[in-house]
Amino acid sequence: MNYLHSAMLELGMTPKLSGRNLTAMLDGGEGPLLLLNSHTDTVPVGQGWTRDPLAANIEDGKIYGRGSNDAKGCLVAMILGAKRAFATNAPKGKVLLAASCEEEVLGLGLEVLLPTLPRPDAAVVGEPTGLKAAVAQKGLLLLEIINMGRSAHAAHGGGINAVESAARDVLALSKLIIPGAHTALGATSLHVTQISGGDRHNVIPDRCKLVVDIRTVPSVSPEEIIALVKNTVEGEVMIRSNRLGSVETDISHPIVKAALAANPAGRAYGSPTLSDWVFLKGIPTVKAGPGDSKRSHTPDEYLEVAELEAGVDFYEKLIRAYFAKASL
Ligand SMILES: [Zn+2]
């Protein structure tokens, strides 16, 4: 964060630190406010690296390191792209750069930063999308299903086995089809991802818990899904998390047009993965940046230097196109 702070100072920006989030306003006078956001945190280094994960060494045109692809490349490209856009023929309006922490582990980043900022007219979230514009993003609904039984000695039998009723719930959920597919995002997905029940071999278990990971789309409400699940299972359905909703932006909005103009080879698409966009509800947003999402969170994560340079061009063009369209 200190490194980024001094780099922004060197670029002639006036960065402001609040908590572990860094912002800088580029001011071209009266006009709309465009937020450019990306995150500085990464997932842990993990196993399997054949290169130094913290050195950012360049080898065969690739920058290797944890976070090179997700999402420090996007952040650097945003900063340099914005710098270029304001260096000559500055757009009429303001760009707010926000480097936020804790996207990967939610709780301290953009969610707490946003209420302290002026409300943006549009936003770009920098994530590795190969410079394609994500115009919709799936949300996350986490449910727990608690099956209760009655314990008994396994040798005597009797009791009510909570693991067995949970097993019936798992099978029933695997067959559940949630209607209402979204044009860009497809269908809601639902998977039982954790199960825990019983604590010794000789006791009929009286409790079993399932965790259900549901990736939602804007065309089906979480309430509809919860009602469907309740009708499908024997256990009690509890909501663990329903705060990360799905989001989408009208493709006729200037921010979408600007992102498509900045990369004519790209196309608008729906993204299955979460990002800080979930906190920008009601603000027209696209998610776009250099790199490939499939390289994120892997050993030997890298970003090509050429991708980074294309990213700088992309954000500069996007900024110019947005302010040209927004002021029409
Ligand atoms: Zn990311």
Side-chain angles (χ1 to χ4, degrees):
M1 196 55 71
N2 290 339
Y3 180 86
L4 197 58
H5 189 267
S6 41
M8 287 168 110
L9 280 176
E10 266 175 51
L11 289 169
M13 299 176 177
T14 38
K16 253 175 53 186
L17 196 60
S18 65
R20 280 185 277 163
N21 301 306
L22 200 58
T23 58
M25 183 77 90
L26 286 85
D27 194 344
E30 271 306 292
L33 174 64
L34 175 62
L35 173 71
L36 299 188
N37 165 255
S38 195
H39 63 94
T40 52
D41 61 317
T42 69
V43 293
V45 166
Q47 304 293 311
W49 284 78
T50 63
R51 293 159 176 93
D52 185 345
L54 302 175
N57 287 327
I58 300 177
E59 211 181 294
D60 297 329
K62 293 171 178 163
I63 309 162
Y64 285 93
R66 174 55 81 229
S68 55
N69 180 72
D70 180 14
K72 292 173 197 284
C74 296
L75 186 57
V76 169
M78 277 181 163
I79 293 169
L80 295 178
K83 166 77 187 162
R84 269 205 222 154
F86 280 81
T88 53
N89 211 354
K92 287 192 175 36
K94 296 177 177 62
V95 165
L96 181 58
L97 289 164
S100 51
C101 67
E102 307 229 351
E103 187 266 355
E104 301 290 0
V105 190
L106 300 164
L108 278 179
L110 191 61
E111 190 176 21
V112 295
L113 181 64
L114 201 63
T116 70
L117 303 174
R119 189 170 169 84
D121 296 293
V124 182
V125 172
E127 289 283 352
T129 68
L131 303 182
K132 292 199 300 255
V135 296
Q137 178 177 282
K138 280 189 169 180
L140 172 64
L141 170 65
L142 274 181
L143 301 180
E144 292 181 352
I145 297 169
I146 311 291
N147 278 269
M148 297 303 288
R150 198 175 64 243
S151 60
H153 196 301
H156 296 307
I160 298 169
N161 192 328
V163 166
E164 287 181 4
S165 56
R168 288 192 292 272
D169 285 353
V170 173
L171 288 177
L173 287 172
S174 73
K175 296 192 190 92
L176 178 65
I177 293 165
I178 297 168
H182 184 264
T183 42
L185 292 166
T188 303
S189 72
L190 179 151
H191 298 283
V192 177
T193 49
Q194 287 177 286
I195 179 165
S196 55
D199 46 20
R200 40 183 57 91
H201 78 86
N202 56 0
V203 178
I204 303 291
D206 63 357
R207 188 175 191 277
C208 186
K209 183 173 90 173
L210 305 175
V211 177
V212 190
D213 177 297
I214 302 167
R215 302 295 165 143
T216 58
V217 298
S219 44
V220 191
S221 74
E223 290 67 33
E224 289 172 71
I225 298 167
I226 293 164
L228 262 177
V229 170
K230 280 186 175 166
N231 278 331
T232 305
V233 298
E234 296 173 32
E236 190 190 350
V237 178
M238 326 257 276
I239 299 167
R240 188 200 277 189
S241 171
N242 185 19
R243 66 189 196 102
L244 307 176
S246 57
V247 279
E248 68 179 325
T249 301
D250 193 313
I251 52 168
S252 65
H253 192 275
I255 192 62
V256 176
K257 290 190 171 162
L260 294 174
N263 177 23
R267 58 188 171 80
Y269 78 108
S271 166
T273 53
L274 290 170
S275 73
D276 276 325
W277 188 355
V278 295
F279 303 120
L280 295 166
K281 257 207 158 131
I283 299 169
T285 299
V286 293
K287 178 168 75 173
D292 183 344
S293 175
K294 294 207 169 71
R295 283 182 228 143
S296 303
H297 306 188
T298 62
D300 288 341
E301 175 183 348
Y302 68 87
L303 181 72
E304 293 175 12
V305 176
E307 289 174 328
L308 181 61
E309 287 168 349
V312 180
D313 286 345
F314 172 76
Y315 289 124
E316 182 191 356
K317 283 184 191 150
L318 184 154
I319 292 166
R320 291 194 189 282
Y322 172 70
F323 285 97
K325 286 178 202 305
S327 55
L328 284 181

